[in-house]
Amino acid sequence: MSKTPRGLGKGLGALLGENTDISSFRKPVEYINKTVVTSEQPQNTADIMLIPVGMIEPNPFQPRSAFDQDAMEELADSIRTLGLIQPITVRKKSHDRYQIISGERRFRASKMAGMNEIPAYIRETDDQGMLEMAIVENIQREDLDPIEVALSYQRLIEECSLTQEQMATRVGKKRASVTNYLRLLRLPAKIQHDLKVGLLSVGHAKVLLGVENQEIQEKLCDLVIKEELSVRQLENMIRKMEKGENPKDKPQEQDLPEDYFKVLEIVGKYFTNNISLKRNSSGKGTMTIHFSSDEEISKFLKALEESSI
């Protein structure tokens, strides 16, 4: 059983501010170079196709009869902003009609959002083996983004009735790698979008998965993008927040006594003033000297021996 992160909310407002807005970085997902489906065009069951909404009909066997209106409006707003991250799955009924297998909620929200075409997988329900081969072949492509890979794995599990172990064998990956990709689909739509368009790395996403609160996940994601944080910096930030610290707090610099400035002035003239000195409140500190040649060291040593400093 996972432990609930403690202290992540403390200092988060000070860290992110109330006006953290990276909307200018985000653009709706577009399925570039994906052919719009018509009756004349060939279809690859592993590809994502753009299907006109008028050619899609609900599944008459849909077990869910009622959809929460507020949740649907929230999803529609997300789709307007980010696009539809996870395509629906349909089967072909005739040359110009498709029936939803899964994703009716996404389909309805997409219509509410005013989309004219819906990204969808087309499943050939009468040929399971061909579908499996098509999906596996699709996964081998090098141009897939992390979410596309994760969705392909999910399709193999759900539509081809494979276990994670069987799927890992099919695609030539370790089971742990497959599991890590599938976990990406637990992330909020915003973060999946940022992974899909390259604003966020898989390494960042794995770290964010360790944060249970989705609102905090999204805010941390925004911060990573805005400040171009590394994975290590994000880990350190979360670690400090768990302790209730403000990750951006810096130790206060102490004013140096007059004697310290005299040391910097006298010693610095032998090293073209390339010298630094740090001191904490207790009086402990370090002095660093950078020299550019043996000659500088020789002059400084001679001055020490002659006690001229």
Side-chain angles (χ1 to χ4, degrees), residues 37-67:
V37 174
T38 67
S39 58
E40 292 81 17
Q41 292 166 338
Q43 298 154 7
N44 183 331
T45 59
D47 281 340
I48 300 171
M49 299 296 198
L50 289 171
I51 307 179
V53 293
M55 297 170 64
I56 302 174
E57 62 182 47
N59 188 337
F61 304 106
Q62 164 64 251
R64 180 187 295 179
S65 59
F67 294 84

Coordinates of all heavy atoms in Angstrom, one line a residue, residues 37-67:
V37 N -10.6 9.1 -43.1 CA -11.3 7.9 -43.6 C -12.4 8.3 -44.6 O -13.3 9.1 -44.3 CB -11.8 7.1 -42.5 CG1 -12.6 5.9 -43.0 CG2 -10.7 6.6 -41.6
T38 N -12.4 7.7 -45.8 CA -13.6 7.7 -46.7 C -13.8 6.3 -47.2 O -13.0 5.4 -46.9 CB -13.3 8.7 -47.9 OG1 -12.3 8.1 -48.7 CG2 -12.9 10.1 -47.4
S39 N -14.8 6.2 -48.0 CA -15.1 4.8 -48.4 C -14.1 4.3 -49.4 O -14.0 3.1 -49.6 CB -16.5 4.8 -49.1 OG -16.5 5.7 -50.2
E40 N -13.3 5.2 -50.1 CA -12.4 4.7 -51.1 C -11.0 4.4 -50.5 O -10.2 3.8 -51.2 CB -12.3 5.7 -52.2 CG -13.5 5.9 -53.1 CD -14.5 6.8 -52.4 OE1 -14.2 7.5 -51.5 OE2 -15.7 6.8 -52.8
Q41 N -10.7 4.9 -49.3 CA -9.3 4.9 -48.8 C -9.0 3.6 -48.1 O -9.9 3.2 -47.3 CB -9.0 6.1 -48.0 CG -9.1 7.4 -48.8 CD -9.1 8.6 -47.9 OE1 -9.5 8.6 -46.8 NE2 -8.7 9.8 -48.5
P42 N -7.8 3.1 -48.2 CA -7.4 1.9 -47.5 C -7.2 2.2 -46.0 O -7.0 3.4 -45.7 CB -6.1 1.5 -48.1 CG -5.6 2.7 -48.7 CD -6.8 3.5 -49.1
Q43 N -7.4 1.3 -45.1 CA -7.3 1.5 -43.7 C -6.4 0.5 -43.0 O -6.5 -0.7 -43.3 CB -8.7 1.5 -43.0 CG -9.6 2.5 -43.6 CD -11.1 2.0 -43.5 OE1 -11.4 1.0 -42.9 NE2 -12.0 2.8 -44.1
N44 N -5.5 1.0 -42.2 CA -4.6 0.1 -41.4 C -5.1 0.1 -40.0 O -5.2 1.1 -39.4 CB -3.2 0.7 -41.5 CG -2.2 -0.2 -40.8 OD1 -2.5 -0.9 -39.8 ND2 -0.9 -0.2 -41.2
T45 N -5.4 -1.1 -39.5 CA -6.0 -1.2 -38.2 C -5.1 -0.7 -37.1 O -5.6 -0.5 -35.9 CB -6.5 -2.6 -37.9 OG1 -5.3 -3.5 -38.0 CG2 -7.5 -3.1 -38.9
A46 N -3.8 -0.6 -37.3 CA -2.9 -0.1 -36.3 C -2.8 1.4 -36.3 O -2.3 1.9 -35.3 CB -1.5 -0.8 -36.5
D47 N -3.2 2.0 -37.4 CA -3.0 3.5 -37.4 C -4.2 4.2 -36.8 O -5.3 3.6 -36.6 CB -2.9 3.9 -38.9 CG -1.6 3.7 -39.5 OD1 -0.6 3.6 -38.7 OD2 -1.4 3.7 -40.7
I48 N -4.0 5.5 -36.5 CA -5.0 6.3 -36.0 C -5.6 7.0 -37.2 O -4.9 7.7 -37.9 CB -4.5 7.3 -34.9 CG1 -3.9 6.6 -33.7 CG2 -5.7 8.3 -34.5 CD1 -3.2 7.5 -32.8
M49 N -6.9 6.9 -37.4 CA -7.6 7.5 -38.5 C -8.5 8.6 -38.0 O -9.0 8.6 -36.9 CB -8.4 6.5 -39.3 CG -7.6 5.3 -39.9 SD -6.5 5.9 -41.1 CE -6.1 4.3 -41.9
L50 N -8.6 9.7 -38.8 CA -9.6 10.7 -38.5 C -10.9 10.5 -39.3 O -10.9 10.4 -40.5 CB -9.0 12.1 -39.0 CG -7.8 12.6 -38.1 CD1 -7.2 13.8 -38.8 CD2 -8.2 12.9 -36.7
I51 N -11.9 10.2 -38.5 CA -13.2 9.8 -39.1 C -14.2 11.0 -38.8 O -14.4 11.5 -37.7 CB -13.8 8.6 -38.4 CG1 -12.7 7.4 -38.5 CG2 -15.1 8.1 -39.1 CD1 -13.1 6.1 -37.9
P52 N -14.9 11.4 -39.9 CA -16.0 12.4 -39.7 C -17.0 12.0 -38.7 O -17.4 10.8 -38.7 CB -16.6 12.6 -41.1 CG -15.5 12.1 -42.0 CD -14.8 11.0 -41.3
V53 N -17.4 12.9 -37.8 CA -18.4 12.5 -36.7 C -19.7 11.9 -37.3 O -20.3 11.1 -36.6 CB -18.6 13.7 -35.8 CG1 -17.4 14.0 -35.0 CG2 -19.2 14.9 -36.5
G54 N -20.1 12.4 -38.4 CA -21.3 11.9 -39.0 C -21.3 10.5 -39.5 O -22.3 9.9 -39.8
M55 N -20.1 9.9 -39.5 CA -19.9 8.5 -40.0 C -19.9 7.5 -38.8 O -19.7 6.3 -39.0 CB -18.7 8.3 -40.8 CG -18.8 9.1 -42.2 SD -17.2 9.2 -43.1 CE -17.0 7.4 -43.4
I56 N -19.9 8.1 -37.6 CA -19.8 7.3 -36.4 C -21.1 7.2 -35.6 O -21.8 8.2 -35.5 CB -18.7 7.9 -35.4 CG1 -17.4 8.0 -36.1 CG2 -18.6 7.0 -34.2 CD1 -16.3 8.7 -35.4
E57 N -21.4 6.0 -35.2 CA -22.7 5.8 -34.4 C -22.4 5.1 -33.1 O -21.4 4.3 -33.0 CB -23.7 5.0 -35.2 CG -23.3 3.6 -35.5 CD -24.3 2.8 -36.4 OE1 -24.8 3.4 -37.3 OE2 -24.6 1.7 -36.0
P58 N -23.2 5.4 -32.0 CA -22.9 4.7 -30.7 C -23.1 3.2 -30.8 O -23.7 2.7 -31.7 CB -24.0 5.4 -29.8 CG -24.4 6.6 -30.6 CD -24.3 6.3 -32.0
N59 N -22.6 2.5 -29.8 CA -22.7 1.1 -29.7 C -24.0 0.8 -29.0 O -24.3 1.2 -27.9 CB -21.6 0.5 -28.8 CG -21.5 -1.0 -28.8 OD1 -22.6 -1.6 -29.0 ND2 -20.4 -1.5 -28.5
P60 N -24.9 0.1 -29.7 CA -26.2 -0.2 -29.1 C -26.1 -1.1 -27.8 O -27.1 -1.2 -27.0 CB -27.0 -1.0 -30.2 CG -25.9 -1.5 -31.0 CD -24.8 -0.5 -31.0
F61 N -25.0 -1.7 -27.6 CA -24.8 -2.6 -26.4 C -24.0 -1.8 -25.3 O -23.5 -2.5 -24.4 CB -24.0 -3.8 -26.8 CG -24.7 -4.6 -27.9 CD1 -24.2 -4.6 -29.2 CD2 -25.9 -5.3 -27.7 CE1 -24.9 -5.3 -30.2 CE2 -26.5 -6.0 -28.7 CZ -26.0 -6.0 -30.0
Q62 N -23.8 -0.5 -25.5 CA -23.1 0.3 -24.5 C -23.8 0.1 -23.1 O -25.0 0.4 -22.9 CB -23.2 1.8 -24.9 CG -22.8 2.7 -23.8 CD -21.4 2.6 -23.3 OE1 -21.2 2.2 -22.2 NE2 -20.5 3.0 -24.1
P63 N -23.0 -0.4 -22.1 CA -23.6 -0.7 -20.8 C -24.0 0.6 -20.1 O -24.9 0.6 -19.2 CB -22.6 -1.5 -20.1 CG -21.3 -1.1 -20.8 CD -21.6 -0.9 -22.2
R64 N -23.3 1.6 -20.3 CA -23.5 2.9 -19.6 C -24.6 3.6 -20.3 O -24.5 4.0 -21.5 CB -22.2 3.7 -19.6 CG -22.4 5.0 -18.8 CD -21.2 6.0 -18.9 NE -20.1 5.4 -18.3 CZ -18.9 6.0 -18.2 NH1 -18.7 7.2 -18.8 NH2 -17.9 5.5 -17.6
S65 N -25.7 3.9 -19.6 CA -26.8 4.6 -20.2 C -26.9 6.1 -19.8 O -27.6 6.9 -20.4 CB -28.1 4.0 -19.7 OG -28.3 4.0 -18.3
A66 N -26.2 6.5 -18.7 CA -26.2 7.9 -18.3 C -24.8 8.4 -18.1 O -23.9 7.7 -17.6 CB -26.9 8.0 -16.9
F67 N -24.5 9.6 -18.5 CA -23.2 10.2 -18.4 C -23.3 11.5 -17.6 O -24.2 12.3 -17.9 CB -22.7 10.6 -19.8 CG -22.4 9.4 -20.7 CD1 -23.4 8.8 -21.4 CD2 -21.1 8.8 -20.7 CE1 -23.1 7.7 -22.2 CE2 -20.8 7.7 -21.5 CZ -21.9 7.1 -22.2

